[in-house]
Amino acid sequence: MKNMKIIPEEQAAAALDMKTALQTVENAYRACVRGEMYPGGRIVMPVGSEKNMGQWLTAVCTNMPIFGSKFSAVFPDNVKAGLPCDQSTISLYSTQNGEQLALIGANYLTALKTGASAGVATGLLARRDACRLGIIGTGTQAFTQALAIQEVRPLTELRIFDRSTERMNAFAKRIAAARNRPYEIIPCGSGEQCVEGSDIVCTATPSRTPVFDGAALRPGTHVNAIGSFTPTMQEIDAQTVEQASFVVTEHVDGLWAAAGDILIPLAQGLIARDKVRGSVGDVLVKNIPGRQSDGEITLYESVGSCVLDVAMAITVYQSV
C-alpha cells in the first residue's frame, strides 16, 4: 500500500465545488442505471449507545478498476462539544489486486454529495417556477442543501428553522456569505412556519420524530427528506408521505432496508409499496415519469448511496 493516498478532510473539501458535485452525482446516477456502478450491502447498527448510529456501505465500478467502502455515523451529542454530528470516511481499492488506493476524510464530502443528490432530484421534480426554499436543520447537511438548490432554481427566499436560535442565526450568516444571488433569508419560529411558505422543503436533522406537520405543506411542493436513514427514524410524518404523489430515492432496495420515513407508514397500512416509484436515476433517464402537474407533492427520500460517495471520492482521488 506504499502508493495509497491519504486525503484529509480539508483537502477533500477543497477539491470539489457544488457545480462539479452536481455533475458528478448526475453522471453517477446515469452510470448506475447503465449498470456501470452498483451498490453492495449495507450494515446499520448502534455505535457505543442507542442514539449513535453507524452504517457501513460498499459500491463497485465496472467501468473503471475501483471499488469502495464508506463508514458513516451520526453522533447527535457532538454538537455540544462543537464537533460535527456526522462522521464519515471513504476508502477506495483496486479491483485488480485489492490494494487500498485512498483513505479520504469525508465529513464535508458526504454533505456535499447529499446536497448534490437532492439538487439533482430537485432539478427534476420541483416545479419550474419554484423559488422559495425551506430548510429545517442548520448543520453542514443543511448548508449543502442550500448550495445545491440555489444552483438548480432561481431562489428568491430561504426560510430556515432550528430549535436553537443561536445555531439558526449562525447558519443565516453562513449562507448569506455563500448565496449566488441576493435572496432573502428568513428565520422561522417553527417547522410549520418554515414549510408553509416554501415551494421546496428540505429536512436535514438527526431527529427520530417528525420535524413538521404534513398539513402545512402546500400543493405543488417538492420535499427532500435526507435525515432518516434507519427503520426507526421518522423525520417526516406519515401525512407528508401519504400526500406525496410518489417517492423516489437513490436505490429502491436501500430504501426498503433503512428508511423509517417510508417503512413506518407502510407498516401502519397508510401507504402501499407502489408509492415508491423508482430511483432519481430512473427519472433522469426517463425510465419512469417525474412530476406530472404543478399541484403534485413530490418526495425524494434519501437513505444514502455508496455509489454516489465513491463517485465523489474518485473525483477527489483523481484531482489531488
Side-chain angles (χ1 to χ4, degrees):
M1 298 186 187
K2 61 182 179 180
N3 295 319
M4 182 180 74
K5 293 182 181 180
I6 297 177
I7 305 173
E9 178 73 31
E10 296 78 10
Q11 189 177 9
L16 293 177
D17 60 18
M18 182 53 77
K19 289 183 179 180
T20 303
L22 284 162
Q23 191 60 61
T24 298
V25 165
E26 182 174 322
N27 291 343
Y29 272 124
R30 293 183 186 276
C32 198
V33 172
R34 293 192 299 263
E36 295 171 355
M37 300 181 75
Y38 60 91
R42 176 194 300 255
I43 298 172
V44 180
M45 60 188 293
V47 180
S49 77
E50 288 298 319
K51 61 184 175 182
N52 302 328
M53 295 301 299
Q55 61 176 340
W56 291 258
L57 307 97
T58 57
V60 176
C61 304
T62 64
N63 59 343
M64 61 184 79
I66 295 176
F67 67 98
S69 65
K70 176 184 175 182
F71 167 72
S72 66
V74 175
F75 286 73
D77 287 346
N78 277 9
V79 68
K80 299 174 185 176
L83 297 172
C85 291
D86 301 292
Q87 298 287 344
S88 301
T89 57
I90 299 173
S91 296
L92 299 180
Y93 304 90
S94 166
T95 58
Q96 296 174 328
N97 55 30
E99 277 197 321
Q100 187 165 1
L101 303 174
L103 177 64
I104 303 172
N107 287 353
Y108 186 72
L109 201 63
T110 294
L112 195 67
K113 174 267 304 186
T114 305
S117 184
V120 172
T122 300
L124 292 169
L125 298 176
R127 298 193 325 267
R128 299 312 304 173
D129 64 347
C131 59
R132 298 172 299 174
L133 171 62
I135 300 179
I136 299 176
T138 56
T140 301
Q141 296 277 7
F143 180 68
T144 59
Q145 293 286 303
L147 291 185
I149 292 167
Q150 71 178 10
E151 294 293 336
V152 301
R153 289 294 184 273
L155 297 183
T156 60
E157 187 175 290
L158 170 61
R159 305 170 75 85
I160 56 176
F161 172 69
D162 192 285
R163 288 180 298 180
S164 165
T165 301
E166 182 179 358
R167 288 199 301 266
M168 188 161 55
N169 291 339
F171 180 85
K173 292 179 181 179
R174 184 183 184 192
I175 198 63
R179 287 177 295 188
N180 64 352
R181 57 180 60 83
Y183 51 78
E184 186 178 7
I185 299 171
I186 304 172
C188 296
S190 68
E192 289 73 28
Q193 184 185 355
C194 182
V195 165
E196 64 190 8
S198 300
D199 307 313
I200 303 162
V201 170
C202 301
T203 55
T205 78
S207 179
R208 292 176 176 272
T209 56
V211 294
F212 70 88
D213 186 335
L217 283 172
R218 292 183 175 183
T221 303
H222 172 67
V223 180
N224 297 310
I226 71 165
S228 167
F229 65 94
T230 77
T232 59
M233 296 175 75
Q234 190 180 20
E235 193 183 30
I236 59 174
D237 65 8
Q239 182 173 349
T240 296
V241 181
E242 286 184 272
Q243 290 179 114
S245 294
F246 60 90
V247 177
V248 296
T249 188
E250 297 100 332
H251 309 288
V252 174
D253 289 348
L255 179 145
W256 294 128
D261 285 340
I262 308 301
L263 293 173
I264 291 169
L266 177 69
Q268 294 170 341
L270 300 174
I271 61 169
R273 289 177 71 92
D274 63 4
K275 175 71 75 169
V276 179
R277 182 172 288 177
S279 73
V280 175
D282 288 323
V283 180
L284 185 63
V285 303
K286 304 188 186 306
N287 283 346
I288 61 173
R291 173 181 292 276
Q292 300 297 295
S293 74
D294 284 348
E296 285 185 297
I297 291 173
T298 55
L299 172 59
Y300 163 60
E301 177 71 27
S302 175
V303 293
S305 166
C306 201
V307 166
L308 306 185
D309 290 310
V310 167
M312 296 279 284
I314 290 171
T315 302
V316 170
Y317 172 70
Q318 293 175 335
S319 70
V320 300

